[in-house]
Structure formats: structure tokens, C-alpha cells
Amino acid sequence: MEYAIEVENLTKKFGDITAVDHISFKIPKGRIFGFLGPNGSGKSTTIRMLCGVLTPSSGKGRVFGFDVVKDAESVKQNLGYMSQKFSLYEDLTVEENLDFYAGIYGLSRKVKEARKKELIAMANLTGKEKSLAGTLSGGWKQRLALACALIHKPKLLVLDEPTAGVDPVSRRVFWEIIHVLSRQGITILVTTHYMDEAESCDYIGFIFNGKLINEFAPPEEIIKKEHVKNLEDVFISIVERETNTKVSSSFQEMKFLEPDE
Amino acid sequence: MKRNLFNWQRFFTIIKKEFIQVKRDPISLRIPIVMPIIMMFLFGYAVNTEIEHIPSAVFDQSKTQESREYIEKFTASDYFIIKYYVSSEKELSELMDKGKVKAGLIIPASYSTDLSRNLIPQTQLIIDGTDPTTARTAMNSSMLISEVYSKNLKEIEIKKLGTSIASLPGVSLNSKVWYNPNLESSRFTVPGLVGIILQNITIMLTAFALVREKERGTIEQLIVTPIRPIELILGKLIPYIFIGYGGFLFSLSICIFWFGVYPEGNIVLLLVLGFLFVISSLSIGMLISTFANNQLQAMMVMIIVILPSILLSGFIFPMEAMPKAISVLGYILPVTYFLDIIRGIMLKGVGFDFLVHDIIALVLFTIFLLSIATLRFNKSLD
Ligand SMILES: Nc1ncnc2c1ncn2[C@@H]1O[C@H](COP(=O)(O)OP(=O)(O)OP(=O)(O)O)[C@@H](O)[C@H]1O
Ligand SMILES: [Mg+2]
């Protein structure tokens, strides 16, 4: 089977910190992959290496068979990326942002106009074309970022916490779009801290302290394996196992309200 | 897959985006208009280094018709007012200690006999150096006065002897005074200001534009696109070439039409070299952007560059008057050469031949700065 992403012993060090520690995994085409893990576990760092933003310290990454370092150009043509922090131009309008990325990906005028129309409709941005991106609220911003990441019809879409700080309705709208895209054959790699979102992924993987805890597997399988009720419990039991402390009991030791001796 | 080294569509897309951002940024568009106006009027009027009526004392040991004539030249110049006639050097130094006079002229007893024997009489001007500006004016103007006077004397001599001027020792005049005989400081300051303004506008806007992408995180989204560093750099810089050059033309017009300092030399040469200087300032701005992660840091690094460029470039203090170690610093600033060029063309009317050293230095600096800025910038995208 051909893979969308293949990662072998991928490692990133920032000075003394090993943000990503010899990670290996393979992701087949056309599915949604949830990448879970606590803050600072190395999700963004892994993703940024795959997208060519960071150079790996060691190890290999391949996207559709192209090496992310040596063949970065080919990787970039096939990849749409939404970074954790909103990174479009806030002083440009919705339409100007789309025009800009269309130009950067070398779309012809005709193709550009058609895609823009399509994406504005898909991302529910109708009526906001002339608004400055900076004046949009959270949910709208995220959908604009998604539209920009899709303007060149990438085969792989990488989303780093796309729904952080977004209200439940916008979250639902956003994920409906993700599922539509997936049905059209786009491979999606997404990180999130929302377990309801994670549960709707085809496969999920846990990362902790820069290491992958399990193989990518469907959420139901993981829940069964861990003998718990839901993904949130999986998350917590993994963190407890890895740190050797009980998450719930660690708060009992706090004595803020008791008088000091 | 088609792979071009340079994609024009991407390049123009970036230029277009940059122009839209400049248009919406209240600062970028106003700087090239507001900065020349404020700086030209501030420096052109407020900072007046022109000094007149320097209180002086005279110690005339010759007391002859000729020495009185010489003193008269001094009083006629308006730069010196003879407040005291003294009869000893001690008296003169007392007056200076008390601050009653800032200059003292000593004429030797042998003044008229030297003249009649065709020797050059050694008069002496003592200047209170505590105020360097006054001292400089006093020195320059006294030199001019004496030299013009001795030239007159020689011409009289020539008429008497019937010989040609070539057979007499040449008269060398202090060049700064020569090209600005009225010692109007605005004539000296304002063209220099055009250079300084051009530099500051370009450095500031370029550094800000490049740092902004880092500060706002928009660079991350750009890196995942197939864009090449060279397209990004050139595309981002071109709008600022326009703006920097616009600021140059605007301040040059203020210099010409408001201050009435008309270019004596070839204006086309000046316009071409001005463009070269925009590019070199642009490279400095780019270089600064590679040292800063946000606009505040960029501003601080900028001060490190802009301050010496005002103090050490010869803009205010002449290079010749600086201690050697410090003037060396001035010579590693491109603006120093551009000031030579713009003053040369505006005030002296000299052409390419006379400026060739400055031009070569400016070209070399530009190439050097542009290369290291591009290299460092490429790295910083990593
Ligand atoms: N540019 C950097 N320089 C130094 N350390 C970094 C850098 N980027 C990330 N790190 C460190 O690497 C580790 C992993 O960070 P990363 O951003 O990948 O985590 P994350 O899983 O995305 O967390 P979050 O859920 O908060 O987004 C953290 O300890 C972080 O402090
Ligand atoms: Mg992250």
C-alpha cells in the first residue's frame, strides 16, 4: 500500500530538549488521523518537520514518497497546512488572502476565480469577502485559514489544533467540512485536545514526551485495549502510566485552604 | 514537474500583497512625507551652526598701515568684532580666561617688513576651543580672510612687477569655506540631510516589513508554500525601493525649492547614485531584520546603526576634526560616502571624476551588504 506519510526515527532537538524522540509511523492515504498528546509533547514539532518548516535533527520523513528535506518542493505542492497560531495576513481582506495564496501556488486567473468561489461557499465565508482577516472572529478565521490551505487542492491536509478557542457551533461546522474533504479522498492529519473530535477520526495516535505511545489505531480499538469508557479516560490513563502519578490524586495534596503550621 | 528558478507570478503576487499592506499601514506611507518635512525644518533652521560676531581681541605689535589694513579685513567680515586692543599676550590670555573674547589675533612686529621683503608674515589667531563650533567657524573664516587678503596683496604685487601669476607661489584656500563662502550652515546641512533621511526611511521600512512576517507568524504559512527565498526577498523589497526613493526625491525637492540649495553639478548623476544608496540602505535594513524577532528589537538594532550614521558620517562634525580611531568608524558607513557625493554634486558641482572613490566605495559596500544580508536572510528562513 502506498502511504501518505511515512516517518522513520524522526527526531528534533532544541538544544538540550528533545522535542521529538525517534518517532516512527505510517499513514495510509485518504483517512483522518488524530494526533493526540498533552501540551508540549511534540505534536506541533512533528508536524512542522513534515511540512518543511523545521529541519529534522535526524531520521526520515516522507510525504507521498517524497523526502521532506531533499524533495521539499514536491512535498510542498501536495500539502496544505494550518499552523497552530493564525498565520494569515490580518491586514488583508478574506479575498486578498485567498488571491495571495492562489498567486503563490501559481493558479491561473480562471482557476483562481472558480476555486475562490467554491472555497468561500464551502467555508461559509460568503458576505465576508471584503472584511479584513483581522476583524473576523475565531471560527471565521479558522475557516479562512482552511480555505487558504486548500486553494491549491493539496492531497494532504495538516491541521495543528484547528479548533482551539472556537465555539461549539463553529467547531461542528469545521469538522463537517473535514469529513467532506476526507470523503473526497484527501488525507488529513489533525491535532486536537477535544476528545469528541478525536473520536470522529479514523485513526488516532498518542504522543507523550516526544515519543509515540501506541500505533495509529481506530479510537474504538484503543478504548477497548485500555479497558476504559472513552477516549478521555484513555488519555488520562496514558498520562498516569507514563508519569507514574495519579492525575486526580495529585490535587489532593494541595493545601491552599488549610492554615499553615 | 516544471521547475523554474524564478517564478514571476509568485514574485508579482508578493509585490502586490506588500503594496496593499503598505497602503493600509498608517506609518509606512506617512514616513516618507512626514520625516523629510520634520527633519529638514528641524535641522535646516533650529540647528544653526552659523556663528557671527565672535568677540575678539587684537594684539598688534606692528602698528603699521599694513597691519591696520589686515585688521580691517577681519572686522569687515562680520565674523569677528574687535572688542579689545591689547598690548601683551598675557593681557590677551586673561581676557580669554574670563571668557570676554573667544578669539585673539596676534600680529608680529615684523609684519610690514616681512611683506615688503616678499616674505609671508606669520600672524597668529588664538581660538577658545571650548565651543568647537565657534572655534571651527573662527578658524575657517580667519583662514579665508587672510588668504583672500594675501591673494589681493599678490595681485597688487603682480601688477607692480608685471609678471604672471604662475611665477608666484599658489594660493591654497580651505575648500569647505571656498565652496560655501558665506559659511551658511544650512547649505552644508541640508543636502547632507537628504542623504540621512533617505537612509533612515529605507532602513526603517525595510527592517519593519521583513520582521513583521516573523513577529506575526505569517512567515510559517509562507514557508510551507513552494515560494523561493529570492522571490520572497525581492518581492518584499521592491515596494520599499519605491518608497525610499520617493522620500529621497521629496527631501531633495525641499532642499532645492525651499532652502534654495540648487545642485551645482549633474543632477542625473545624483539621481542615479541616490538609487544606489537606496539599495545599500535596503541591505542594511534587511540585515537588521535578521537580528530581530519583532519590531521593537528591530528598532533597537536600528538605533545602533542610525546614531553613528548621524554623528560619525561627517553629517554634523567634519571627518577631519574627529580622532583617527573614531573617523575610521565613519568610513565603514555607506552614508559617509553618499554624503560626500551629494555635497560634492550639490555644493561643489563636481562630476564623476572627482567622486570616483566615493562611488567605488559605495558600490562595494552595497554589493557586500546585499550579499551578506541575502545569505543571512536565507538562513533565518530555516
Ligand atoms: N523553537 C523552539 N525552540 C525551543 N524549544 C521548542 C521550540 N519549539 C518547541 N519547543 C519545545 O519542544 C517541546 C514540544 O513542543 P510542541 O510545540 O511540539 O508541543 P505540542 O505537542 O504541539 O504542544 P501544544 O499542545 O501545547 O501545542 C516543548 O517542550 C517546547 O517547549
Ligand atoms: Mg502544538
Side-chain angles (χ1 to χ4, degrees), chain B residues 18-36 201 205 212 239-240 242-244 246-247 250:
Chain B
E18 211 64 32
F19 267 118
I20 297 177
Q21 288 186 307
V22 165
K23 202 179 71 193
R24 299 219 172 108
D25 180 20
I27 294 179
S28 300
L29 260 195
R30 282 181 201 157
I31 276 184
I33 297 175
V34 174
M35 190 143 104
I201 291 178
L205 294 184
R212 214 155 33 212
Y240 299 98
F242 275 95
I243 296 177
F250 182 57

PDB file of all heavy atoms in Angstrom, chain B residues 18-36 201 205 212 239-240 242-244 246-247 250:
ATOM      1  N   GLU B  18       2.424  43.237  -0.780  1.00  0.00           N
ATOM      2  CA  GLU B  18       3.207  44.197   0.003  1.00  0.00           C
ATOM      3  C   GLU B  18       2.672  45.615  -0.199  1.00  0.00           C
ATOM      4  O   GLU B  18       2.574  46.389   0.753  1.00  0.00           O
ATOM      5  CB  GLU B  18       4.676  44.102  -0.421  1.00  0.00           C
ATOM      6  CG  GLU B  18       5.664  44.404   0.660  1.00  0.00           C
ATOM      7  CD  GLU B  18       5.601  43.414   1.810  1.00  0.00           C
ATOM      8  OE1 GLU B  18       5.293  42.219   1.587  1.00  0.00           O
ATOM      9  OE2 GLU B  18       5.849  43.843   2.943  1.00  0.00           O
ATOM     10  N   PHE B  19       2.299  45.938  -1.443  1.00  0.00           N
ATOM     11  CA  PHE B  19       1.758  47.277  -1.710  1.00  0.00           C
ATOM     12  C   PHE B  19       0.428  47.480  -0.988  1.00  0.00           C
ATOM     13  O   PHE B  19       0.172  48.553  -0.449  1.00  0.00           O
ATOM     14  CB  PHE B  19       1.589  47.519  -3.215  1.00  0.00           C
ATOM     15  CG  PHE B  19       2.785  48.191  -3.833  1.00  0.00           C
ATOM     16  CD1 PHE B  19       3.525  47.567  -4.817  1.00  0.00           C
ATOM     17  CD2 PHE B  19       3.179  49.459  -3.401  1.00  0.00           C
ATOM     18  CE1 PHE B  19       4.639  48.174  -5.376  1.00  0.00           C
ATOM     19  CE2 PHE B  19       4.293  50.078  -3.954  1.00  0.00           C
ATOM     20  CZ  PHE B  19       5.020  49.438  -4.945  1.00  0.00           C
ATOM     21  N   ILE B  20      -0.410  46.433  -0.970  1.00  0.00           N
ATOM     22  CA  ILE B  20      -1.688  46.549  -0.252  1.00  0.00           C
ATOM     23  C   ILE B  20      -1.413  46.808   1.229  1.00  0.00           C
ATOM     24  O   ILE B  20      -2.025  47.666   1.857  1.00  0.00           O
ATOM     25  CB  ILE B  20      -2.531  45.261  -0.404  1.00  0.00           C
ATOM     26  CG1 ILE B  20      -2.895  45.022  -1.869  1.00  0.00           C
ATOM     27  CG2 ILE B  20      -3.802  45.370   0.438  1.00  0.00           C
ATOM     28  CD1 ILE B  20      -3.664  43.735  -2.107  1.00  0.00           C
ATOM     29  N   GLN B  21      -0.435  46.082   1.779  1.00  0.00           N
ATOM     30  CA  GLN B  21      -0.140  46.255   3.209  1.00  0.00           C
ATOM     31  C   GLN B  21       0.404  47.645   3.502  1.00  0.00           C
ATOM     32  O   GLN B  21       0.047  48.260   4.498  1.00  0.00           O
ATOM     33  CB  GLN B  21       0.850  45.186   3.669  1.00  0.00           C
ATOM     34  CG  GLN B  21       0.211  43.819   3.758  1.00  0.00           C
ATOM     35  CD  GLN B  21       1.151  42.787   4.354  1.00  0.00           C
ATOM     36  OE1 GLN B  21       2.269  42.621   3.891  1.00  0.00           O
ATOM     37  NE2 GLN B  21       0.694  42.097   5.370  1.00  0.00           N
ATOM     38  N   VAL B  22       1.280  48.128   2.611  1.00  0.00           N
ATOM     39  CA  VAL B  22       1.824  49.475   2.790  1.00  0.00           C
ATOM     40  C   VAL B  22       0.696  50.494   2.765  1.00  0.00           C
ATOM     41  O   VAL B  22       0.624  51.405   3.586  1.00  0.00           O
ATOM     42  CB  VAL B  22       2.849  49.792   1.685  1.00  0.00           C
ATOM     43  CG1 VAL B  22       3.144  51.285   1.650  1.00  0.00           C
ATOM     44  CG2 VAL B  22       4.131  49.011   1.910  1.00  0.00           C
ATOM     45  N   LYS B  23      -0.232  50.282   1.813  1.00  0.00           N
ATOM     46  CA  LYS B  23      -1.344  51.209   1.642  1.00  0.00           C
ATOM     47  C   LYS B  23      -2.189  51.284   2.912  1.00  0.00           C
ATOM     48  O   LYS B  23      -2.682  52.333   3.285  1.00  0.00           O
ATOM     49  CB  LYS B  23      -2.200  50.724   0.456  1.00  0.00           C
ATOM     50  CG  LYS B  23      -3.047  51.794  -0.180  1.00  0.00           C
ATOM     51  CD  LYS B  23      -3.835  51.208  -1.351  1.00  0.00           C
ATOM     52  CE  LYS B  23      -4.937  50.284  -0.860  1.00  0.00           C
ATOM     53  NZ  LYS B  23      -5.544  49.457  -1.920  1.00  0.00           N
ATOM     54  N   ARG B  24      -2.335  50.127   3.588  1.00  0.00           N
ATOM     55  CA  ARG B  24      -3.187  50.097   4.787  1.00  0.00           C
ATOM     56  C   ARG B  24      -2.435  50.473   6.049  1.00  0.00           C
ATOM     57  O   ARG B  24      -3.043  50.654   7.091  1.00  0.00           O
ATOM     58  CB  ARG B  24      -3.758  48.686   4.972  1.00  0.00           C
ATOM     59  CG  ARG B  24      -4.602  48.284   3.797  1.00  0.00           C
ATOM     60  CD  ARG B  24      -5.837  47.506   4.189  1.00  0.00           C
ATOM     61  NE  ARG B  24      -6.634  47.362   2.985  1.00  0.00           N
ATOM     62  CZ  ARG B  24      -6.781  46.224   2.329  1.00  0.00           C
ATOM     63  NH1 ARG B  24      -6.268  45.122   2.815  1.00  0.00           N
ATOM     64  NH2 ARG B  24      -7.476  46.178   1.224  1.00  0.00           N
ATOM     65  N   ASP B  25      -1.106  50.534   5.955  1.00  0.00           N
ATOM     66  CA  ASP B  25      -0.330  50.820   7.159  1.00  0.00           C
ATOM     67  C   ASP B  25      -0.171  52.326   7.311  1.00  0.00           C
ATOM     68  O   ASP B  25       0.399  52.983   6.447  1.00  0.00           O
ATOM     69  CB  ASP B  25       1.040  50.150   7.051  1.00  0.00           C
ATOM     70  CG  ASP B  25       1.888  50.408   8.283  1.00  0.00           C
ATOM     71  OD1 ASP B  25       1.297  50.761   9.321  1.00  0.00           O
ATOM     72  OD2 ASP B  25       3.112  50.271   8.205  1.00  0.00           O
ATOM     73  N   PRO B  26      -0.709  52.885   8.387  1.00  0.00           N
ATOM     74  CA  PRO B  26      -0.673  54.349   8.510  1.00  0.00           C
ATOM     75  C   PRO B  26       0.754  54.895   8.597  1.00  0.00           C
ATOM     76  O   PRO B  26       0.989  56.048   8.260  1.00  0.00           O
ATOM     77  CB  PRO B  26      -1.444  54.622   9.802  1.00  0.00           C
ATOM     78  CG  PRO B  26      -1.456  53.324  10.540  1.00  0.00           C
ATOM     79  CD  PRO B  26      -1.372  52.240   9.518  1.00  0.00           C
ATOM     80  N   ILE B  27       1.690  54.066   9.035  1.00  0.00           N
ATOM     81  CA  ILE B  27       3.042  54.584   9.233  1.00  0.00           C
ATOM     82  C   ILE B  27       3.870  54.546   7.953  1.00  0.00           C
ATOM     83  O   ILE B  27       4.469  55.535   7.563  1.00  0.00           O
ATOM     84  CB  ILE B  27       3.738  53.813  10.375  1.00  0.00           C
ATOM     85  CG1 ILE B  27       2.999  54.127  11.681  1.00  0.00           C
ATOM     86  CG2 ILE B  27       5.203  54.215  10.496  1.00  0.00           C
ATOM     87  CD1 ILE B  27       3.537  53.424  12.888  1.00  0.00           C
ATOM     88  N   SER B  28       3.853  53.410   7.287  1.00  0.00           N
ATOM     89  CA  SER B  28       4.715  53.243   6.107  1.00  0.00           C
ATOM     90  C   SER B  28       4.521  54.338   5.065  1.00  0.00           C
ATOM     91  O   SER B  28       5.472  54.792   4.451  1.00  0.00           O
ATOM     92  CB  SER B  28       4.442  51.901   5.437  1.00  0.00           C
ATOM     93  OG  SER B  28       4.708  50.868   6.326  1.00  0.00           O
ATOM     94  N   LEU B  29       3.270  54.737   4.865  1.00  0.00           N
ATOM     95  CA  LEU B  29       3.014  55.718   3.820  1.00  0.00           C
ATOM     96  C   LEU B  29       3.324  57.132   4.276  1.00  0.00           C
ATOM     97  O   LEU B  29       3.659  57.993   3.479  1.00  0.00           O
ATOM     98  CB  LEU B  29       1.555  55.650   3.382  1.00  0.00           C
ATOM     99  CG  LEU B  29       1.307  54.875   2.100  1.00  0.00           C
ATOM    100  CD1 LEU B  29      -0.071  55.172   1.563  1.00  0.00           C
ATOM    101  CD2 LEU B  29       2.353  55.173   1.033  1.00  0.00           C
ATOM    102  N   ARG B  30       3.219  57.387   5.572  1.00  0.00           N
ATOM    103  CA  ARG B  30       3.417  58.752   6.045  1.00  0.00           C
ATOM    104  C   ARG B  30       4.872  59.074   6.281  1.00  0.00           C
ATOM    105  O   ARG B  30       5.290  60.221   6.118  1.00  0.00           O
ATOM    106  CB  ARG B  30       2.624  58.971   7.327  1.00  0.00           C
ATOM    107  CG  ARG B  30       1.158  59.183   6.975  1.00  0.00           C
ATOM    108  CD  ARG B  30       0.300  59.436   8.178  1.00  0.00           C
ATOM    109  NE  ARG B  30      -1.082  59.126   7.810  1.00  0.00           N
ATOM    110  CZ  ARG B  30      -2.016  58.815   8.665  1.00  0.00           C
ATOM    111  NH1 ARG B  30      -1.720  58.757   9.947  1.00  0.00           N
ATOM    112  NH2 ARG B  30      -3.230  58.563   8.270  1.00  0.00           N
ATOM    113  N   ILE B  31       5.639  58.070   6.649  1.00  0.00           N
ATOM    114  CA  ILE B  31       7.048  58.321   6.960  1.00  0.00           C
ATOM    115  C   ILE B  31       7.789  59.060   5.850  1.00  0.00           C
ATOM    116  O   ILE B  31       8.456  60.053   6.117  1.00  0.00           O
ATOM    117  CB  ILE B  31       7.756  56.999   7.347  1.00  0.00           C
ATOM    118  CG1 ILE B  31       7.485  56.743   8.824  1.00  0.00           C
ATOM    119  CG2 ILE B  31       9.246  57.068   7.106  1.00  0.00           C
ATOM    120  CD1 ILE B  31       8.190  55.542   9.385  1.00  0.00           C
ATOM    121  N   PRO B  32       7.667  58.613   4.586  1.00  0.00           N
ATOM    122  CA  PRO B  32       8.446  59.308   3.559  1.00  0.00           C
ATOM    123  C   PRO B  32       8.008  60.750   3.328  1.00  0.00           C
ATOM    124  O   PRO B  32       8.719  61.501   2.658  1.00  0.00           O
ATOM    125  CB  PRO B  32       8.232  58.464   2.299  1.00  0.00           C
ATOM    126  CG  PRO B  32       7.177  57.503   2.608  1.00  0.00           C
ATOM    127  CD  PRO B  32       6.978  57.442   4.071  1.00  0.00           C
ATOM    128  N   ILE B  33       6.858  61.135   3.853  1.00  0.00           N
ATOM    129  CA  ILE B  33       6.440  62.530   3.709  1.00  0.00           C
ATOM    130  C   ILE B  33       6.728  63.315   4.986  1.00  0.00           C
ATOM    131  O   ILE B  33       7.298  64.402   4.951  1.00  0.00           O
ATOM    132  CB  ILE B  33       4.934  62.598   3.353  1.00  0.00           C
ATOM    133  CG1 ILE B  33       4.724  61.917   2.001  1.00  0.00           C
ATOM    134  CG2 ILE B  33       4.466  64.050   3.307  1.00  0.00           C
ATOM    135  CD1 ILE B  33       3.300  61.804   1.566  1.00  0.00           C
ATOM    136  N   VAL B  34       6.355  62.724   6.120  1.00  0.00           N
ATOM    137  CA  VAL B  34       6.484  63.445   7.384  1.00  0.00           C
ATOM    138  C   VAL B  34       7.951  63.573   7.813  1.00  0.00           C
ATOM    139  O   VAL B  34       8.385  64.650   8.238  1.00  0.00           O
ATOM    140  CB  VAL B  34       5.663  62.728   8.481  1.00  0.00           C
ATOM    141  CG1 VAL B  34       5.900  63.373   9.834  1.00  0.00           C
ATOM    142  CG2 VAL B  34       4.186  62.764   8.126  1.00  0.00           C
ATOM    143  N   MET B  35       8.709  62.503   7.651  1.00  0.00           N
ATOM    144  CA  MET B  35      10.095  62.540   8.117  1.00  0.00           C
ATOM    145  C   MET B  35      10.923  63.624   7.401  1.00  0.00           C
ATOM    146  O   MET B  35      11.600  64.397   8.087  1.00  0.00           O
ATOM    147  CB  MET B  35      10.740  61.175   7.959  1.00  0.00           C
ATOM    148  CG  MET B  35      12.073  61.111   8.639  1.00  0.00           C
ATOM    149  SD  MET B  35      12.337  59.520   9.392  1.00  0.00           S
ATOM    150  CE  MET B  35      13.462  58.794   8.268  1.00  0.00           C
ATOM    151  N   PRO B  36      10.878  63.723   6.068  1.00  0.00           N
ATOM    152  CA  PRO B  36      11.650  64.798   5.434  1.00  0.00           C
ATOM    153  C   PRO B  36      11.231  66.178   5.929  1.00  0.00           C
ATOM    154  O   PRO B  36      12.083  67.019   6.221  1.00  0.00           O
ATOM    155  CB  PRO B  36      11.329  64.639   3.948  1.00  0.00           C
ATOM    156  CG  PRO B  36      10.973  63.222   3.786  1.00  0.00           C
ATOM    157  CD  PRO B  36      10.290  62.825   5.064  1.00  0.00           C
ATOM    158  N   ILE B 201      14.694  56.347   6.238  1.00  0.00           N
ATOM    159  CA  ILE B 201      13.397  55.850   5.762  1.00  0.00           C
ATOM    160  C   ILE B 201      13.553  54.431   5.248  1.00  0.00           C
ATOM    161  O   ILE B 201      12.807  53.527   5.617  1.00  0.00           O
ATOM    162  CB  ILE B 201      12.864  56.726   4.601  1.00  0.00           C
ATOM    163  CG1 ILE B 201      12.473  58.106   5.115  1.00  0.00           C
ATOM    164  CG2 ILE B 201      11.668  56.065   3.946  1.00  0.00           C
ATOM    165  CD1 ILE B 201      11.984  59.022   4.014  1.00  0.00           C
ATOM    166  N   LEU B 205      11.770  51.146   7.086  1.00  0.00           N
ATOM    167  CA  LEU B 205      10.642  50.450   6.472  1.00  0.00           C
ATOM    168  C   LEU B 205      11.017  49.029   6.068  1.00  0.00           C
ATOM    169  O   LEU B 205      10.231  48.105   6.231  1.00  0.00           O
ATOM    170  CB  LEU B 205      10.125  51.243   5.271  1.00  0.00           C
ATOM    171  CG  LEU B 205       9.509  52.582   5.645  1.00  0.00           C
ATOM    172  CD1 LEU B 205       8.925  53.260   4.423  1.00  0.00           C
ATOM    173  CD2 LEU B 205       8.417  52.405   6.691  1.00  0.00           C
ATOM    174  N   ARG B 212       8.072  41.978  10.418  1.00  0.00           N
ATOM    175  CA  ARG B 212       6.646  41.814  10.641  1.00  0.00           C
ATOM    176  C   ARG B 212       6.175  40.381  10.378  1.00  0.00           C
ATOM    177  O   ARG B 212       5.371  39.839  11.122  1.00  0.00           O
ATOM    178  CB  ARG B 212       5.881  42.794   9.751  1.00  0.00           C
ATOM    179  CG  ARG B 212       4.641  43.306  10.394  1.00  0.00           C
ATOM    180  CD  ARG B 212       4.198  44.637   9.865  1.00  0.00           C
ATOM    181  NE  ARG B 212       4.506  44.822   8.444  1.00  0.00           N
ATOM    182  CZ  ARG B 212       4.780  46.003   7.931  1.00  0.00           C
ATOM    183  NH1 ARG B 212       4.788  47.068   8.679  1.00  0.00           N
ATOM    184  NH2 ARG B 212       5.039  46.124   6.641  1.00  0.00           N
ATOM    185  N   PRO B 239       8.691  47.275  -3.166  1.00  0.00           N
ATOM    186  CA  PRO B 239       7.893  48.432  -2.735  1.00  0.00           C
ATOM    187  C   PRO B 239       8.713  49.439  -1.924  1.00  0.00           C
ATOM    188  O   PRO B 239       8.478  50.640  -2.016  1.00  0.00           O
ATOM    189  CB  PRO B 239       6.808  47.801  -1.863  1.00  0.00           C
ATOM    190  CG  PRO B 239       6.699  46.404  -2.346  1.00  0.00           C
ATOM    191  CD  PRO B 239       8.068  46.008  -2.771  1.00  0.00           C
ATOM    192  N   TYR B 240       9.673  48.940  -1.151  1.00  0.00           N
ATOM    193  CA  TYR B 240      10.422  49.852  -0.292  1.00  0.00           C
ATOM    194  C   TYR B 240      11.502  50.595  -1.059  1.00  0.00           C
ATOM    195  O   TYR B 240      11.940  51.663  -0.629  1.00  0.00           O
ATOM    196  CB  TYR B 240      10.965  49.090   0.925  1.00  0.00           C
ATOM    197  CG  TYR B 240       9.791  48.536   1.685  1.00  0.00           C
ATOM    198  CD1 TYR B 240       9.376  47.227   1.524  1.00  0.00           C
ATOM    199  CD2 TYR B 240       9.000  49.387   2.456  1.00  0.00           C
ATOM    200  CE1 TYR B 240       8.238  46.755   2.137  1.00  0.00           C
ATOM    201  CE2 TYR B 240       7.870  48.926   3.077  1.00  0.00           C
ATOM    202  CZ  TYR B 240       7.486  47.606   2.916  1.00  0.00           C
ATOM    203  OH  TYR B 240       6.342  47.158   3.509  1.00  0.00           O
ATOM    204  N   PHE B 242      10.750  51.823  -3.970  1.00  0.00           N
ATOM    205  CA  PHE B 242       9.917  52.931  -4.430  1.00  0.00           C
ATOM    206  C   PHE B 242       9.744  53.972  -3.328  1.00  0.00           C
ATOM    207  O   PHE B 242       9.909  55.169  -3.552  1.00  0.00           O
ATOM    208  CB  PHE B 242       8.529  52.420  -4.833  1.00  0.00           C
ATOM    209  CG  PHE B 242       8.466  51.911  -6.235  1.00  0.00           C
ATOM    210  CD1 PHE B 242       8.627  50.564  -6.504  1.00  0.00           C
ATOM    211  CD2 PHE B 242       8.252  52.784  -7.297  1.00  0.00           C
ATOM    212  CE1 PHE B 242       8.587  50.083  -7.800  1.00  0.00           C
ATOM    213  CE2 PHE B 242       8.204  52.319  -8.594  1.00  0.00           C
ATOM    214  CZ  PHE B 242       8.371  50.958  -8.852  1.00  0.00           C
ATOM    215  N   ILE B 243       9.399  53.498  -2.128  1.00  0.00           N
ATOM    216  CA  ILE B 243       9.105  54.435  -1.050  1.00  0.00           C
ATOM    217  C   ILE B 243      10.364  55.180  -0.628  1.00  0.00           C
ATOM    218  O   ILE B 243      10.354  56.403  -0.462  1.00  0.00           O
ATOM    219  CB  ILE B 243       8.491  53.693   0.152  1.00  0.00           C
ATOM    220  CG1 ILE B 243       7.156  53.094  -0.262  1.00  0.00           C
ATOM    221  CG2 ILE B 243       8.289  54.646   1.323  1.00  0.00           C
ATOM    222  CD1 ILE B 243       6.492  52.288   0.813  1.00  0.00           C
ATOM    223  N   GLY B 244      11.467  54.459  -0.470  1.00  0.00           N
ATOM    224  CA  GLY B 244      12.725  55.095  -0.082  1.00  0.00           C
ATOM    225  C   GLY B 244      13.141  56.131  -1.106  1.00  0.00           C
ATOM    226  O   GLY B 244      13.540  57.254  -0.769  1.00  0.00           O
ATOM    227  N   GLY B 246      11.157  57.610  -3.229  1.00  0.00           N
ATOM    228  CA  GLY B 246      10.182  58.702  -3.172  1.00  0.00           C
ATOM    229  C   GLY B 246      10.550  59.698  -2.082  1.00  0.00           C
ATOM    230  O   GLY B 246      10.504  60.911  -2.288  1.00  0.00           O
ATOM    231  N   GLY B 247      10.940  59.173  -0.931  1.00  0.00           N
ATOM    232  CA  GLY B 247      11.359  60.035   0.173  1.00  0.00           C
ATOM    233  C   GLY B 247      12.585  60.852  -0.195  1.00  0.00           C
ATOM    234  O   GLY B 247      12.698  62.033   0.165  1.00  0.00           O
ATOM    235  N   PHE B 250      11.499  63.623  -2.554  1.00  0.00           N
ATOM    236  CA  PHE B 250      10.750  64.640  -1.823  1.00  0.00           C
ATOM    237  C   PHE B 250      11.695  65.518  -1.010  1.00  0.00           C
ATOM    238  O   PHE B 250      11.594  66.756  -1.054  1.00  0.00           O
ATOM    239  CB  PHE B 250       9.716  63.957  -0.921  1.00  0.00           C
ATOM    240  CG  PHE B 250       8.863  64.921  -0.156  1.00  0.00           C
ATOM    241  CD1 PHE B 250       8.118  65.891  -0.801  1.00  0.00           C
ATOM    242  CD2 PHE B 250       8.799  64.843   1.236  1.00  0.00           C
ATOM    243  CE1 PHE B 250       7.331  66.775  -0.095  1.00  0.00           C
ATOM    244  CE2 PHE B 250       8.008  65.726   1.952  1.00  0.00           C
ATOM    245  CZ  PHE B 250       7.281  66.699   1.289  1.00  0.00           C
TER     246      PHE B 250
END
